[in-house]
Amino acid sequence: MRTHPRSRAVRVPGGLSLRLDPRALVVVVLLLAAALAAGVALIGTGDAKIPAADVLRTLAGHGTAYQDFIVRELRLPRVLVGLLVGASLGLGGALFQSVSRNPLGSPDVLGLSQGATAGALVVIVLMSGSAAAVTAGALAGGLLTGLAIYLLAWRQGVHGYRLVLVGIGVSAVLTAVNGYLLTKADMVDAARAVVWMTGSLNGRDWDQVWPLLALCAVLVPLVLAHARGLRMLEMGDDTAGALGVPVQRVRLVVTTGAVLLTAAATAAAGPVSFVALTAPQLARRLTRSPGPNLVPSLCMGAALLVTADWAAQRAFGADQLPVGVVTGVLGGGYLLWLLVTERRAGRI
């Protein structure tokens, strides 16, 4: 495995060693600072504007009763959901792109977002379910789609390009299913479904924060513990196996983690498009580091989504857009640029 020239090996207690890249560390710190700054700005944004200093004072427990209600009860949950959803999508996208060894291997392309959408539409259109039921349906749809893609791509193991091709096919089928479900809905349910399908953080509260936070607390350390094996897999299955990496076990664990992260994020905020595709690629270009760049991708996803939500509220005057519209416009342009770049490089 080629070692990045700026990387340094650091010994930690227990006889283990940790590879640190100073540039990647700086990028992570700057992205975290950008995400938190955007979060503070977003909390202060709205009909009742609150200066950043007052937001920080209120978060520290020194605000007025009015500020405390606005900040802690109304706006902080939305920002926390945005940070967690962006982080989950960024990390999930990095995992899928590393497993498939393809920059297009993201949940948007592989059909996981469409699967979660199908689960939510079934609940909305056929059952007229509550918000909690829609969330459960989206989570179940994403998990079932991930399982179907993995089984269909399996042939003496799962390989990257087969996973992408199967995912594209499943995505096309689910897109047609979702369109059919919308045609069967009445006007009220159809309008509700379209709003959910856009991807939005409007109305998010603590009920969405705690389940997503608990899932991230379990999944993020789990997948980060497999970062070394994932880095080895990028050199090919045979090489990774010769170096002692349990190839299929690592691939199964990280793929399952990516599916769960994506499904949970979609259940919490709807299918916010292109964050999972763009965050890992932007993180890689900033760090200039080989490997999956899991932590930088996580931080980049959080910063992207919260910044996009701030732009959705401020950039268009009185017209506030769902965050999925902003990420879709920016991400679509990025996807076109990525396709042109990959074609010029002869990879597609």
Side-chain angles (χ1 to χ4, degrees):
M1 181 179 62
R2 184 171 64 90
T3 302
H4 197 267
R6 288 184 295 271
S7 298
R8 297 177 182 176
V10 178
R11 291 284 181 180
V12 297
L16 299 176
S17 62
L18 181 66
R19 187 177 68 89
L20 291 179
D21 182 349
R23 182 186 178 93
L25 184 60
V26 171
V27 168
V28 167
V29 171
L30 292 177
L31 287 175
L32 282 175
L36 294 177
V40 170
L42 185 57
I43 291 175
T45 298
D47 293 334
K49 293 181 172 57
I50 301 176
D54 290 340
V55 171
L56 294 175
R57 191 179 302 112
T58 303
L59 291 175
H62 304 297
T64 65
Y66 172 76
Q67 291 174 337
D68 192 67
F69 175 74
I70 295 294
V71 170
R72 293 178 177 271
E73 297 301 323
L74 296 184
R75 296 179 182 173
L76 180 59
R78 174 190 180 122
V79 172
L80 291 177
V81 170
L83 290 171
L84 291 169
V85 168
S88 299
L89 292 175
L91 180 57
L95 292 170
F96 276 120
Q97 290 178 18
S98 181
V99 167
S100 63
R101 299 200 293 273
N102 191 319
L104 298 178
S106 78
D108 306 294
V109 177
L110 295 180
L112 292 174
S113 298
Q114 288 81 359
T117 301
L121 286 179
V122 167
V123 174
I124 293 173
V125 174
L126 302 182
M127 305 176 185
S128 297
S130 63
V134 172
T135 299
L139 186 59
L143 293 176
L144 290 175
T145 302
L147 177 62
I149 292 172
Y150 194 87
L151 293 178
L152 290 172
W154 179 273
R155 192 179 66 186
Q156 298 179 344
V158 174
H159 299 281
Y161 282 101
R162 190 185 307 137
L163 187 70
V164 172
L165 290 174
V166 170
I168 291 173
V170 170
S171 177
V173 172
L174 288 173
T175 299
V177 170
N178 293 340
Y180 172 76
L181 288 172
L182 282 177
T183 64
K184 304 300 290 184
D186 58 35
M187 292 298 294
V188 175
D189 287 339
R192 181 184 172 198
V194 170
V195 170
W196 189 90
M197 289 172 63
T198 304
S200 175
L201 296 176
N202 292 338
R204 298 306 181 263
D205 55 27
W206 292 105
D207 290 337
Q208 284 81 38
V209 173
W210 298 121
L212 190 55
L213 181 61
L215 190 68
C216 289
V218 173
L219 291 178
V220 171
L222 177 64
V223 297
L224 291 182
H226 290 78
R228 180 179 179 275
L230 195 60
R231 191 179 302 114
M232 297 291 187
L233 286 181
E234 292 190 346
M235 299 187 297
D237 290 1
D238 293 338
T239 302
L243 293 172
V245 177
V247 173
Q248 294 306 326
R249 189 181 75 186
V250 170
R251 184 173 283 125
L252 177 62
V253 170
V254 299
T255 302
T256 302
V259 169
L260 288 170
L261 287 167
T262 303
T266 305
V272 180
S273 58
F274 290 113
V275 173
L277 175 69
T278 58
Q281 293 300 310
L282 293 176
R284 183 185 292 267
R285 282 166 171 76
L286 288 177
T287 62
R288 299 179 187 174
S289 175
N293 284 283
L294 298 184
V295 176
S297 298
L298 181 153
C299 298
M300 177 63 78
L304 278 178
L305 189 56
V306 177
T307 303
D309 194 38
W310 179 85
Q313 294 193 46
R314 295 293 299 272
F316 300 96
D319 297 326
Q320 295 187 8
L321 298 178
V323 66
V325 174
V326 177
T327 61
V329 170
L330 298 178
Y334 177 81
L335 177 59
L336 292 174
W337 176 84
L338 181 62
L339 290 171
V340 171
T341 302
E342 292 292 301
R343 182 175 182 180
R344 286 177 178 175
R347 289 187 285 266
I348 59 174

